[in-house]
Amino acid sequence: MRPLGSLQAYHGLLPLLTAAAHALVAFASVGSRTSSQTPTIGTPQPCLCSFNATKLQLPEGSWDSHFHVIDPVRFPPLRNAAYKPGTHTVWENSVFEHSIGCDHVVMVQPSIYGTNNTLLLESLKAYGPQRARGVVVFDVHNTTEAQLAEWNRIGVRGVRINLQSINATESIERLELTLKVHADAVKPFDWVLQLYAPMELIPSIEAFVPTLGVRIVFDHFGDPKMPQPTGDPQKLDPHSIKGFSAMIRLLKQGRTWVKISGAYRVSKLPGPNYSDLDPLARELFRAAPSRVVYSSDWPHTRFEGLDIRPWNAHLLELVGGDMRLRQKLFRDNARDLWQSTTVNSTLNTKY
């Protein structure tokens, strides 16, 4: 088995081989690290290759709908970036995805690169359209329709509006305008509008979202403001969290999805289970089983070194023996959201 899905993908990765030597070391490791911890050649790194992905029992053709590629050596972040990233390459991600049993991926533009999508587009070409989709960030006033069409050709299927990572605050009127101009730009290509904003804002835009005429996906459980646990976290009523009921109503309308991801970003309890989110997950599975998509959020920026696989196992425990829900969460819903017709695994391709 080779981690990438085609010889064309290997050809697309050739430009990456000119990167710093740590990119080659990363092919055999998934050791998250900060830029000050970049290993030298020969330094042993934690490896996920031996992890038994079958223990997670994900459906064949599963999707990871949210991860980032970051290379601060070749592509320095913005000077005012909200955090200092480590190096996390397509090589590392390919090994990681194999370790958790995901065949298909969605690469999301991280906030540290602003509207410079060069690394994402280069990496998307490396994976190839049979395996990957991309979500970009762009300035609607300085991006042509021809440029969007070219991005669409290589696998881009969404645009991200990110208020949280940069601690942005906008009036509801300004947010609605931002959503509308981006929705109008991507509508001809049938792209997704991905929103990372506090859940407490959702009631204010609930009536507006369906008028956009595009598919919407909320990041990281919809980014709820979780209460501090005072008793049994399993007894939490998720509808008591501001914005949760509004999000459920949008999900039920059929044009909105939510990523089951980033538990460590919103939970008030320690990992690996982040069990105060269990009531939210169960209610989402009950109320909108066709509108939830699994996402790893690799490489867990600002939480580098975290191992998400125990939480994946806990997530499967929450799903239980409902195999149809398992297929929806890890595969079928993502295929609907990202408009993919690929159904087979790409991890066992023979050459």
Side-chain angles (χ1 to χ4, degrees):
M1 191 283 299
R2 300 183 184 182
L4 297 181
S6 68
L7 291 177
Q8 180 182 7
Y10 278 101
H11 177 74
L13 280 174
L14 288 178
L16 298 180
L17 297 179
T18 61
H22 59 256
L24 296 177
V25 177
F27 179 65
S29 70
V30 190
S32 297
R33 56 189 182 271
T34 63
S35 55
S36 63
Q37 296 171 316
T38 301
T40 57
I41 293 295
T43 302
Q45 294 295 306
C47 184
L48 297 180
C49 302
S50 61
F51 182 78
N52 186 359
T54 60
K55 291 181 180 179
L56 295 180
Q57 299 178 328
L58 301 190
E60 182 179 6
S62 286
W63 283 72
D64 177 355
S65 284
H66 191 119
F67 86 95
H68 307 291
V69 169
I70 301 172
D71 189 341
V73 176
R74 297 175 60 227
F75 297 91
L78 298 172
R79 290 185 178 180
N80 62 343
Y83 59 91
K84 185 178 180 180
T87 298
H88 306 281
T89 68
V90 290
W91 297 102
E92 291 176 289
N93 177 258
S94 186
V95 176
F96 166 76
E97 300 296 347
H98 179 61
S99 81
I100 65 172
C102 281
D103 303 318
H104 305 281
V105 293
V106 180
M107 190 180 312
V108 178
Q109 173 78 343
S111 63
I112 59 168
Y113 286 134
T115 58
N116 183 352
N117 299 286
T118 307
L119 176 59
L120 182 145
L121 297 170
E122 178 184 279
S123 302
L124 191 58
K125 292 176 183 177
Y127 275 107
Q130 291 300 309
R131 187 174 183 195
R133 292 287 187 257
V135 176
V136 294
V137 175
F138 62 85
D139 181 348
V140 292
H141 303 295
N142 293 293
T143 306
T144 66
E145 186 171 344
Q147 191 169 13
L148 295 178
E150 172 59 18
W151 293 351
N152 185 75
R153 185 187 65 80
I154 65 175
V156 173
R157 291 297 183 272
V159 58
R160 191 187 198 198
I161 309 299
N162 184 348
L163 302 184
Q164 280 295 71
S165 294
I166 58 175
N167 295 317
T169 56
E170 290 190 355
S171 67
I172 296 303
E173 293 76 15
R174 181 66 183 173
L175 175 57
E176 289 182 348
L177 177 60
T178 299
L179 295 175
K180 178 172 173 47
V181 295
H182 282 84
D184 289 346
V186 304
K187 195 179 302 182
F189 304 98
D190 198 22
W191 285 6
V192 175
L193 197 159
Q194 180 172 316
L195 180 60
Y196 188 20
M199 181 180 283
E200 59 192 18
L201 291 181
I202 296 179
S204 299
I205 60 173
E206 180 184 358
F208 180 74
V209 165
T211 70
L212 293 171
V214 296
R215 299 187 304 286
I216 305 288
V217 62
F218 291 113
D219 279 348
H220 307 326
F221 281 88
D223 196 35
K225 186 176 182 180
M226 297 297 294
Q228 289 290 346
T230 57
D232 183 355
Q234 302 300 320
K235 294 182 179 180
L236 172 68
D237 178 5
H239 290 276
S240 67
I241 300 172
K242 184 177 181 180
F244 186 84
S245 296
M247 185 177 72
I248 289 288
R249 289 191 292 269
L250 285 173
L251 297 179
K252 287 183 174 181
Q253 290 182 31
R255 295 279 286 174
T256 303
W257 284 253
V258 62
K259 294 185 180 183
I260 305 301
S261 65
Y264 46 88
R265 299 190 186 278
V266 297
S267 175
K268 296 296 185 182
L269 292 178
N273 290 350
Y274 311 105
S275 56
D276 55 338
L277 294 174
D278 290 0
L280 281 72
R282 290 193 180 98
E283 179 62 3
L284 287 167
F285 296 161
R286 184 200 67 80
S290 296
R291 293 294 174 262
V292 290
V293 289
Y294 167 76
S295 308
S296 74
D297 194 32
W298 186 91
H300 324 300
T301 55
R302 306 194 215 200
F303 295 82
E304 296 184 53
L306 181 144
D307 185 355
I308 199 64
R309 293 170 297 164
W311 183 74
N312 286 359
H314 179 64
L315 192 58
L316 286 171
E317 291 175 353
L318 294 178
V319 171
D322 189 339
M323 298 307 296
R324 187 70 190 103
L325 175 58
R326 183 172 300 195
Q327 292 168 349
K328 286 175 176 287
L329 173 62
F330 289 98
R331 184 188 65 201
D332 297 348
N333 295 348
R335 290 182 58 220
D336 290 342
L337 175 61
W338 305 114
Q339 299 290 283
S340 172
T341 57
T342 301
V343 295
N344 295 326
S345 170
T346 60
L347 291 181
N348 297 316
T349 303
K350 304 297 183 182
Y351 302 105

